[in-house]
């Protein structure tokens, strides 16, 4: 696809992906669809549903930390009739465990990767669909099966998983957490892993093989880069979690002792699980942030109406992080009795990651510097993402350094830190993406005022909640405590915890602005034009809102990068501050550029 | 909506000649990525095997260990028999390559023949594994060398009793699962080729999977069987 674009190349691209007629039957159109845009929407709905579910679990945790053991107001009697609405310790264990697992694997992942990966990749690179549409269909329905397993785990005796989201044995063995619920949850993780790998293979192949003529690697938007790099990490490291999950299930049900030792009976190695878990688990946190970085690179340029500053540098930084993410997992295990020399190596590699992260930050700031910024809702969410990720990233340095980690390990500081990075940043970034692409998905505009209300409640709420959690942790409050204030040295933190809880409730109430906006706009929002944000990427310039079933009647030809804003010549000749990637501007110059690209590629 | 009429009909996709990937098809790229991914799931299991083996005082309770520690006697793996299985699997890779190259030079009949041989070798390997686990073909084995071959399970290698037994069953069964799916996949391609619904590319892709299964076996054979206790 690189190289000089001859008419023959452009013609060949037209025949690469066939045009299929829009399915007419209800089932093929709405249930077992192979259309990437529809599968994206399925992932979106499935993810939003579980985001609500996980959010409600978070509220229960917050209530417990403000008023330990007291009856939960309003819904308490409904949820816990046996205790007149109070949360018992075993129930509490289930709540914080499932909150973590649901949010990571069944809410953020489907929204960010399942939805936007499916929706954006083909549209933004100029493809008619994914490389393997049937695999895409399977990927969603296998994911739906895993969600069903999660729901089923709540319905069995002794309840759902309760060994913490990291599922460490021996706590996660039958001795520590008896009952079918924990096993169903581990099985759900395995099944969702299969779905994720299928998606990853599809995304990687699509980007490699189905870019439109002229869409060179560095003409791809940051969004596509982020999703592509994430997919590589998914394809490589999710299988390791799968292996660990299988061994854990064998330990729980088939009498093996991979991870069992001591009182759990056996000669296994519990630390082995931690190795396998974090070999996957650390790339996982970058899996959840790389697409967001991609969104932010694009949003900053889109709405500062300037080219992205040192775009190549940002991409190289993301690639560097992708590589480094595979070799830093040991920093989760500093206190497991790891050799200090090995710990030092992991510490060094961990801290090195702040260099590419810093390059990304500086590039974002340079991009908006002196830009003609349009504070649209996606832009606000992008800026909010930078803010919370900055806070989370800086506090990560304390945790990546062994000496400070020994003190902060397993405190609320850790909880606040990772919620600012992989939860808040992923949350704000995904919602920014939803506000940006909603008009393209559903052909209607969302209300900007309600969007801004949602933004302020979310960003301020997230910052306060997780900022205060870090404060509590720094003051010595351990994570996962049922009643922190039964320890006299933590009594003084009760007011702080209560205030954090009020902030969390405000954050939750602010989400109603989104819920109303989403449903209202879905049915009665203003009709969106083809390009409401005045952007230059292919999905806005070459597709209707919403796009037709096969996206493009003719596969577009790409002449330039995704961030061409306020180019003086374009301003002069076309009278607007943007130009599409597929617009022929000056045929002679465009041809020369593509030759140049060919020569340097 | 005036769609390009020429793009409407189905037919083989012709990939444009890419600077980096030439005319490589999406299916081939997808298979390579899957194989990398699958390699990592094997490495998860092998890593577990390595760490457990490294942390154990003894690996396999043979006569000396049983006498010294009083553990339940376990059989050693039959290296010679498994070496034969390994040889069969390598042969299957050879026939796989011949099948693909025959098809590339237009010899569909030859391709079908060698693809069939590959399937047969795959089935032989699975039979070998059944014999190794359960002694399924004990009668036949007895006729060959007059020995007693009741299978590892009957000889006291019990899943879940020791890491020696558990890791063996987990890893070889996981590989056996791959051989089984490979044989099914190969059979589907054979049928498609017979009905003229497959081309050299389809055969090449199934070949990639088959060679991977073969390669992984060589690693499994080395780690599980050959490294002395």
């Amino acid at each position: 696809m690189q190289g000089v674009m001859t008419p023959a190349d452009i013609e060949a691209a037209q025949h690469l992906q066939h045009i299929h007629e829009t399915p007419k039957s209800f089932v093929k159109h709405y249930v077992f669809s192979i259309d990437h845009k529809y599968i994206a929407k399925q992932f979106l709905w499935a993810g939003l549903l579980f985001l609500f579910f996980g959010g409600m679990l978070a509220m229960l945790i917050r209530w417990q930390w403000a008023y330990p053991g007291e009856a939960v107001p309003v819904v308490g009697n409904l949820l816990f009739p046996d205790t007149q609405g109070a949360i018992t310790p075993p129930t509490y264990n289930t709540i914080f465990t499932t909150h973590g697992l649901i949010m990571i694997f069944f809410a953020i992942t489907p929204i960010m990767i399942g939805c936007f990966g499916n929706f954006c990749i083909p549209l933004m690179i100029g493809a008619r669909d994914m490389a393997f549409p049937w695999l895409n269909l399977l990927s969603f329905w296998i994911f739906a099966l895993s969600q069903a397993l999660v729901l089923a785990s709540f319905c069995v005796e002794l309840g759902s998983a309760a060994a913490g989201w990291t599922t460490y044995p021996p706590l996660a063995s039958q001795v520590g957490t008896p009952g079918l619920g924990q096993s169903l949850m581990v099985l759900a993780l395995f099944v969702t892993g299969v779905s994720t790998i299928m998606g990853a293979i599809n995304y990687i192949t699509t980007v490699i093989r189905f870019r439109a003529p002229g869409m060179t690697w560095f003409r791809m938007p940051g969004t596509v880069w982020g999703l592509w790099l994430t997919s590589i990490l998914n394809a490589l490291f999710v299988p390791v979690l799968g292996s660990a999950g299988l061994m854990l299930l064998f330990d729980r049900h088939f009498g093996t002792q991979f991870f069992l030792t001591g009182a759990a009976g056996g000669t296994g190695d519990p630390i082995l699980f931690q190795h396998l878990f974090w070999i996957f688990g650390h790339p996982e946190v970058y899996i959840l942030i790389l697409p967001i970085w991609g969104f932010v690179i694009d949003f900053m340029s889109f709405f500062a109406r300037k080219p992205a500053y040192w775009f190549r540098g940002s991409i190289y930084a993301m690639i560097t992080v992708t590589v480094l993410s595979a070799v830093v997992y040991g920093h989760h295990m500093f206190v497991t009795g790891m050799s200090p020399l090995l710990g030092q190596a992991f510490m060094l590699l961990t801290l090195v990651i702040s260099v590419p992260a810093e390059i990304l930050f500086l590039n974002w700031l340079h991009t908006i510097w002196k830009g003609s910024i349009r504070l649209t809702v996606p832009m606000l969410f992008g800026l909010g993402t930078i803010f919370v990720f900055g806070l989370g990233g800086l506090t990560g340095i304390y945790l990546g350094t062994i000496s400070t980690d020994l003190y902060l390990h397993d405190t609320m500081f850790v909880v606040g830190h990772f919620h600012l990075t992989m939860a808040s940043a992923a949350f704000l970034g995904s919602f920014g993406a939803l506000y940006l692409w909603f008009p393209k998905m559903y052909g209607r505009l969302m209300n900007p005022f309600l969007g801004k209300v949602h933004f302020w409640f979310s960003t301020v709420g997230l910052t306060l909640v997780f900022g205060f959690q870090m404060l509590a942790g720094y003051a010595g409050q351990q994570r996962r405590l049922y009643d922190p204030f039964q320890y006299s040295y933590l009594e003084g933190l009760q007011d702080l915890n209560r205030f954090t809880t009020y902030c969390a409730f405000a954050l939750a109430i602010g989400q109603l602005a989104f819920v109303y906006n989403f449903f209202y706009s879905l049915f009665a929002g203003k009709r969106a034009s083809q390009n409401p944000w005045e952007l230059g990427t292919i999905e806005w310039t070459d597709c209707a809102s919403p796009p037709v079933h096969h996206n493009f009647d003719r596969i577009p030809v790409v002449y330039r990068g995704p961030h061409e804003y306020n180019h003086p010549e374009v301003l002069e000749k076309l009278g607007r501050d943007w130009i599409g990637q597929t617009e022929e501007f000056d045929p002679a110059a465009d041809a020369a550029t593509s030759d140049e690209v060919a020569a340097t590629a | 909506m005036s769609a390009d009429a020429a793009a409407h009909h189905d037919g083989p996709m012709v990939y444009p000649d890419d600077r980096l990937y030439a005319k490589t098809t999406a299916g081939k790229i997808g298979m390579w990525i899957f194989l990398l991914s699958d390699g990592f799931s094997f490495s998860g299991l092998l890593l577990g095997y390595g760490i457990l083996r490294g942390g154990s005082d003894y690996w396999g309770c043979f006569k000396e260990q049983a006498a010294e520690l009083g553990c339940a006697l376990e059989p050693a793996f039959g290296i010679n028999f498994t070496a034969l299985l390994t040889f069969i699997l390598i042969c299957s890779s050879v026939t796989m390559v011949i099948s693909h190259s025959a098809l590339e030079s237009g010899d569909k009949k030859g391709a079908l023949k060698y693809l069939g041989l590959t399937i047969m070798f795959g089935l032989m390997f699975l039979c070998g594994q059944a014999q190794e686990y359960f002694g399924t073909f004990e009668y036949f084995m007895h006729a060959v060398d007059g020995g007693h071959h009741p299978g590892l399970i009957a000889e006291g290698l019990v899943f879940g009793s020791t890491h020696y037994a558990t890791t063996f069953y987990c890893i070889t069964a996981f590989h056996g699962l791959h051989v089984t799916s490979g044989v099914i996949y190969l059979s589907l391609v054979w049928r498609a080729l017979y009905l003229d619904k497959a081309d050299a590319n389809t055969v090449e892709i199934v070949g990639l999977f088959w060679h991977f299964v073969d390669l992984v076996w060589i690693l499994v054979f080395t780690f599980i069987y050959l490294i002395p206790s």
Side-chain angles (χ1 to χ4, degrees), chain A residues 507-520:
Chain A
L507 167 64
I509 289 165
Q511 304 309 309
L512 292 176
F514 167 76
V515 175
Y516 177 77
N517 197 358
F518 185 73
F519 283 101
Y520 180 83

Side-chain angles (χ1 to χ4, degrees), chain A residues 9-319:
Chain A
D9 285 343
I10 295 168
E11 212 40 52
Q14 305 303 326
H15 302 286
L16 187 53
Q17 286 188 305
H18 305 296
I19 293 178
H20 295 286
E21 281 187 23
T22 316
K24 293 203 174 56
S25 82
F26 179 82
V27 172
K28 275 192 176 169
H29 197 172
Y30 292 105
V31 187
F32 297 111
S33 175
I34 56 165
D35 178 3
H36 73 100
K37 299 181 291 298
Y38 199 80
I39 294 171
K41 290 176 192 174
Q42 289 176 316
F43 269 115
L44 177 69
W45 284 88
L48 285 176
L49 199 69
F50 270 62
L51 184 67
F52 172 77
F53 192 17
M56 289 299 106
L57 291 168
M59 293 305 121
L60 290 176
I61 306 175
R62 277 310 335 169
W63 173 262
Q64 174 64 22
W65 286 342
Y67 301 96
E70 288 182 35
V72 179
V74 191
V75 292
N77 275 317
L78 197 70
L79 292 175
F80 319 110
D82 299 344
T83 54
Q84 282 79 46
I87 300 171
T88 57
T91 312
Y92 168 78
N93 285 351
T94 301
I95 291 173
F96 75 71
T97 300
T98 50
H99 161 73
L101 290 168
I102 285 175
M103 283 300 206
I104 292 170
F105 294 100
F106 304 101
I108 301 177
T109 306
I111 294 177
M112 193 169 66
I113 302 169
C115 169
F116 294 110
N118 260 314
F119 191 77
C120 296
I121 289 177
L123 287 176
M124 290 181 110
I125 62 171
R128 291 209 167 106
D129 203 326
M130 283 289 174
F132 314 111
W134 283 98
L135 192 67
N136 212 8
L137 178 153
L138 264 181
S139 164
F140 174 74
W141 284 102
I142 288 176
F143 175 74
L145 171 69
S146 75
Q147 283 192 326
L149 286 168
V150 172
L151 293 179
S153 77
F154 282 91
C155 306
V156 297
E157 217 175 334
L158 300 179
S160 187
W165 84 274
T166 48
T167 321
Y168 283 173
L171 186 58
S173 70
Q174 284 287 17
V175 180
T177 313
L180 197 58
Q182 181 76 48
S183 307
L184 282 172
M185 193 59 114
V186 176
L187 189 63
L189 289 185
F190 183 84
V191 174
T192 199
V194 173
S195 152
T196 304
I197 294 167
M198 286 177 162
I201 291 172
N202 223 338
Y203 301 162
I204 299 172
T205 313
T206 307
V207 170
I208 289 180
R209 215 55 185 106
F210 290 95
R211 281 171 290 131
M215 180 61 89
T216 58
W217 284 97
F218 282 102
R219 285 178 183 171
M220 291 200 307
T223 300
V224 177
W225 268 104
L227 289 162
W228 189 68
L229 293 171
T230 274
S231 301
I232 293 176
L233 288 179
N234 263 332
L236 295 184
F237 295 108
V238 171
V240 181
L241 178 73
S243 302
L246 272 188
M247 291 189 212
L248 188 60
L249 281 178
F250 282 167
D251 273 4
R252 287 182 63 83
H253 291 286
F254 303 113
T256 61
Q257 305 128 23
F258 285 109
F259 309 124
L260 301 184
T261 189
T267 53
D269 185 357
I271 302 293
L272 168 62
F273 182 85
Q274 294 195 23
H275 280 291
L276 293 175
F277 183 85
W278 289 114
I279 284 175
F280 152 79
H282 198 81
E284 170 71 8
V285 308
Y286 289 97
I287 285 166
L288 296 181
I289 203 64
L290 280 162
I292 301 299
W293 287 350
F295 294 153
V296 172
I297 292 174
D298 284 349
F299 291 2
M300 291 305 114
S301 162
F302 287 170
F303 297 109
R305 314 305 288 179
K306 273 177 66 188
Y309 186 86
W310 198 29
F311 181 57
R312 277 178 185 239
S314 300
I315 300 304
Y316 289 138
M318 292 214 291
I319 295 171

Side-chain angles (χ1 to χ4, degrees), chain A residues 332-406:
Chain A
H332 296 271
M333 299 166 64
F334 283 153
V335 299
T336 53
M338 173 187 278
S339 143
L341 186 65
L342 194 59
Q344 292 257 321
F346 277 123
M347 175 174 100
L348 180 74
L349 287 164
T350 302
L351 297 184
V352 164
I353 287 194
S354 50
V355 177
E358 201 55 44
I359 290 173
L360 281 165
F361 267 89
L362 289 175
N363 285 351
W364 295 332
L365 295 181
H366 265 298
T367 305
I368 55 175
W369 179 254
K370 290 188 176 175
S372 39
I373 298 175
R374 297 182 183 174
L375 285 177
T376 58
V377 180
M379 180 61 169
L380 284 173
F381 272 90
L383 292 169
T385 308
I386 296 181
F387 178 68
V388 294
F389 189 77
L391 277 180
L394 286 175
T395 51
I397 295 173
Y398 295 77
L399 295 170
T401 310
I402 298 175
S403 45
T404 37
D405 182 65
L406 293 181

